[in-house]
Amino acid sequence: MNQDEPRAGAVTPDESTQPYTPPPEPVPTSVATGPVETAPRPRPGATRWGIALGIVAIAIGVAAAAAFVLTGQAAPSTLLGYTPPGTVVYTELRLDLPGDQRLKVGEFLSKFPGFDDTSTLEAKISDVLDRLLGQAGDGSHDYSGDIKPWFAGELGMAVGALPDPAAAEDTTRLLVLATVSDPAAARAWVTELAKDHESTTETYAGTQLTVYDGAVRMASAVGGDKVLLVGDVTSVKASLDAAGRSSFASNDGMRAARAGIKGDHLGFMFLDFKAYVDWIERSAESFGGVGMGMGSFDESMRAYLPDWIAGGLRAEGDALALDSVMPHLSTNPIKENKTGQVADHLPPTTFLLGDAHEFGLTLDSVMDVYRKDPATADAFKQVDDALGTLGGFEAVFGWMGETGMAVSRTADGIEGGVVVVPNDQAAAERLLTSLRSFAQLGGAQMGIVVREETYAGQTITIVDFGDIGERLGSGAAPGLPTGLQGRIEVAYTATDGAVIVGSGPGFVRSAIDAGPGKSLAEDARYRGLVDRVGAQNAGVSFLDMTAMRELLEQLAIDNGMDMAEYEREYKPYLLPFDALISANLVGGDVDHGRALITVK
């Protein structure tokens, strides 16, 4: 099919559009994820295919812009049984698209040009992997001819003991696992790959083990005629010892992680964060406590760190969903999920929002860790002393309840600010009065002007810092973006329900105007997105991807960029992306996170 042809149809709503509710009780399930792979920039003649292949790669979990992709699956995982005990990082990618994922991936891709026909999905995935493998190697191997005949669809990686900086030899433990449908073909493929390396064979745990000499002794084997194992000798032998019944799959953290992520998934990741922190501490100590950017983790600091983190990536037809889970920390000051109120005070033109509940309590809790740490105690004492001029930490931050940072569109560009729903309205107003006095008394000598205006019955205070170019002694500020040239103002007000601080009076006015039927919270699209990730939550992040794309396009046009290639080769594949929404949820033994990238 010509990839320039318009797509057909829309995805029929299904259960994936229902609100997300964290599971009340752990129920064992299995899991899966994979590392991120990105292809080089495509040549002009191959641009269209490059973008199309990239979309498929994203859909199957091959691509994502993160150092770690949190993923998981409910279909049984063969690889977990062969993962060595003591594994610190485990990731698994499900190219077999278990359960409903084949259908959901097809529905997701149908939103993009050239992917109307979901019956060709498997062929397109194979083509993606052919191209990725070809780009990664010398072109002598491909997925369709060399790997697909024996590969059963599950691909994983396990990182065991992290390297000991004090050891004379490399102690890293790394194992790659892949399920096999034809053990003999899998062994032949590995032998062909390693034909230029000296090797020996031996029998271990009833299985033929091929050992390759080198700086790090590597080995390969097929465990139980089910899983191809390639890694350091110690890891391969530990996997064979597990014999499909590894205790790693049943340890407390993994069981809770698998129980917390529901449904069939494209992949899974599990990080033993406690073991990782222990390694950081040992590494810092081996360097005399310097050079790592971290010192030792005392008990007060460890109380704020989870023992493990896990998550799952799945397709939901009109979205890619990322579910994360971690043990609930007793030190977390947020004890319950609530309906957010910040969006009630934002205009519907808001396209970027980061919202957190109980901001003051959370900030105080975090700062308390550093107040007690000998390495940072002096610095944070100076911070507390500085805050004392305004009444101390409690007076400056203690009144802050739900707090959001937002950016919205205007006829002339963008404006942004902070909206706080105070826990103590009187304390908030006292702080604003103090700040106004400081600005008037201390700022006058610096040319800072404070003025007020009345809008819709509210008094808006505007702090005018003057022209930034003039303050630097020139008509313009060298090196500053155009948007930061000219006059700089900060405006604020306190309404009955919120404290609003903006990049100028325009943002404050728009927040005052927001209300029933006129706010972001009343926008049907935004409300539907929040309902899907959890209307009752501990914080929400939102990005209108359509609005962001349009702003970047206008910025490019304003800067004289040639948009012809973009319009032809890239924009058709960006148009379907709609929004990014995420929420954090607390409660019970584990806390959850849920994020969606939706398409139109």
Side-chain angles (χ1 to χ4, degrees):
M1 172 174 287
N2 186 334
Q3 294 191 44
D4 287 328
E5 292 178 9
R7 66 177 180 85
V11 174
T12 301
D14 56 24
E15 73 279 0
S16 67
T17 63
Q18 298 304 310
Y20 171 74
T21 303
E25 296 293 337
V27 179
T29 56
S30 282
V31 282
T33 201
V36 174
E37 296 189 49
T38 57
R41 181 187 177 115
R43 300 182 305 277
T47 300
R48 198 168 296 150
W49 250 115
I51 298 172
L53 295 175
I55 293 171
V56 178
I58 291 173
I60 62 175
V62 173
F68 295 103
V69 177
L70 300 176
T71 52
Q73 105 272 354
S77 170
T78 304
L79 302 186
L80 279 174
Y82 288 88
T83 302
T87 290
V88 177
V89 183
Y90 173 79
T91 62
E92 185 172 310
L93 175 66
R94 293 300 297 262
L95 295 178
D96 55 345
L97 304 179
D100 66 352
Q101 289 303 278
R102 185 172 300 276
L103 173 63
K104 299 301 183 183
V105 167
E107 290 177 351
F108 181 83
L109 289 176
S110 72
K111 301 292 187 177
F112 297 88
F115 290 88
D116 308 44
D117 186 0
T118 58
S119 66
T120 63
L121 178 62
E122 186 173 347
K124 289 179 179 179
I125 291 176
S126 295
D127 195 41
V128 169
L129 297 177
D130 282 339
R131 289 169 182 261
L132 290 175
L133 189 59
Q135 291 167 351
D138 58 6
S140 60
H141 298 277
D142 62 30
Y143 171 78
S144 297
D146 298 324
I147 299 175
K148 189 176 180 179
W150 59 261
F151 181 44
E154 297 179 45
L155 178 65
M157 181 178 71
V159 179
L162 297 170
D164 183 352
E169 60 181 19
D170 188 354
T171 59
T172 302
R173 298 290 174 255
L174 178 64
L175 181 68
V176 176
L177 311 91
T179 54
V180 301
S181 56
D182 186 336
R187 293 188 189 96
W189 180 74
V190 174
T191 300
E192 174 65 20
L193 283 181
K195 64 183 179 182
D196 296 329
H197 299 273
E198 294 185 6
S199 64
T200 58
T201 59
E202 62 182 77
T203 299
Y204 182 84
T207 302
Q208 179 177 303
L209 187 71
T210 303
V211 180
Y212 309 91
D213 293 327
V216 177
R217 295 183 72 235
M218 304 292 290
S220 66
V222 177
D225 282 346
K226 294 180 179 179
V227 179
L228 174 64
L229 310 168
V230 179
D232 65 274
V233 174
T234 301
S235 295
V236 173
K237 288 184 176 180
S239 179
L240 293 174
D241 287 338
R245 299 180 297 276
S246 174
S247 61
F248 173 75
S250 59
N251 69 45
D252 291 343
M254 178 59 77
R255 282 192 302 170
R258 293 166 63 193
I261 300 172
K262 300 299 184 182
D264 293 298
H265 284 73
L266 300 173
F268 172 83
M269 176 183 171
F270 177 87
L271 169 64
D272 185 335
F273 198 67
K274 182 178 183 298
Y276 178 66
V277 170
D278 288 342
W279 173 75
I280 290 177
E281 189 167 32
R282 290 196 307 272
S283 298
E285 290 173 353
S286 70
F287 289 102
V290 298
M292 296 292 291
M294 297 183 181
S296 62
F297 292 88
D298 60 22
E299 289 305 312
S300 63
M301 185 173 291
R302 283 179 177 268
Y304 288 83
L305 303 175
D307 286 346
W308 52 266
I309 302 171
L313 178 70
R314 62 173 272 112
E316 292 193 347
D318 66 340
L320 293 179
L322 179 65
D323 295 314
S324 59
V325 62
M326 59 181 278
H328 179 73
L329 301 175
S330 60
T331 51
N332 187 344
I334 303 178
K335 304 302 181 184
E336 61 178 332
N337 301 308
K338 298 178 180 179
T339 300
Q341 300 178 60
V342 162
D344 294 326
H345 303 277
L346 294 172
T349 53
T350 299
F351 68 89
L352 179 63
L353 170 62
D355 163 85
H357 296 193
E358 300 298 345
F359 180 81
L361 282 174
T362 302
L363 181 61
D364 189 34
S365 180
V366 171
M367 288 186 63
D368 196 50
V369 175
Y370 294 98
R371 292 185 184 109
K372 295 176 180 178
D373 187 341
T376 56
D378 289 343
F380 276 81
K381 183 180 184 303
Q382 294 179 31
V383 172
D384 284 329
D385 289 344
L387 293 175
T389 61
L390 292 171
F393 180 92
E394 189 65 24
V396 178
F397 297 108
W399 55 271
M400 291 186 174
E402 183 186 354
T403 302
M405 298 184 63
V407 182
S408 60
R409 301 181 70 176
T410 68
D412 300 322
I414 63 173
E415 57 189 14
V418 176
V419 174
V420 183
V421 178
N423 291 329
D424 186 335
Q425 181 77 22
E429 293 177 358
R430 286 195 297 270
L431 175 65
L432 295 181
T433 300
S434 297
L435 290 174
R436 187 181 189 283
S437 299
F438 270 91
Q440 285 180 315
L441 296 176
Q445 296 178 347
M446 302 172 59
I448 297 174
V449 177
V450 179
R451 69 181 192 274
E452 293 181 345
E453 69 174 49
T454 300
Y455 181 81
Q458 293 291 142
T459 299
I460 301 176
T461 301
I462 303 161
V463 183
D464 186 344
F465 293 91
D467 188 281
I468 189 67
E470 292 178 359
R471 290 193 172 280
L472 294 175
S474 63
L480 283 180
T482 303
L484 295 181
Q485 306 284 358
R487 188 169 297 279
I488 302 297
E489 295 180 331
V490 174
Y492 62 84
T493 192
T495 69
D496 289 340
V499 172
I500 305 161
V501 182
S503 56
F507 178 84
V508 178
R509 295 187 202 112
S510 67
I512 292 173
D513 286 337
K518 298 183 293 183
S519 71
L520 178 65
E522 297 294 319
D523 180 76
R525 171 169 168 261
Y526 175 78
R527 189 74 268 155
L529 289 169
V530 172
D531 286 344
R532 289 182 66 176
V533 295
Q536 299 280 318
N537 56 67
V540 165
S541 296
F542 166 69
L543 171 63
D544 184 329
M545 299 176 74
T546 298
M548 179 63 77
R549 173 182 54 77
E550 291 173 351
L551 284 168
L552 293 176
E553 289 171 352
Q554 188 59 53
L555 180 64
I557 292 171
D558 291 345
N559 283 274
M561 294 181 63
D562 182 2
M563 300 292 287
E565 181 182 1
Y566 166 80
E567 293 281 345
R568 182 180 64 254
E569 304 288 357
Y570 296 93
K571 187 173 180 178
Y573 297 95
L574 298 177
L575 283 173
F577 287 104
D578 181 35
L580 168 64
I581 188 78
S582 67
N584 298 319
L585 301 98
V586 300
D589 295 331
V590 295
D591 291 342
H592 292 260
R594 183 161 172 84
L596 295 174
I597 297 177
T598 62
V599 289
K600 298 188 282 284

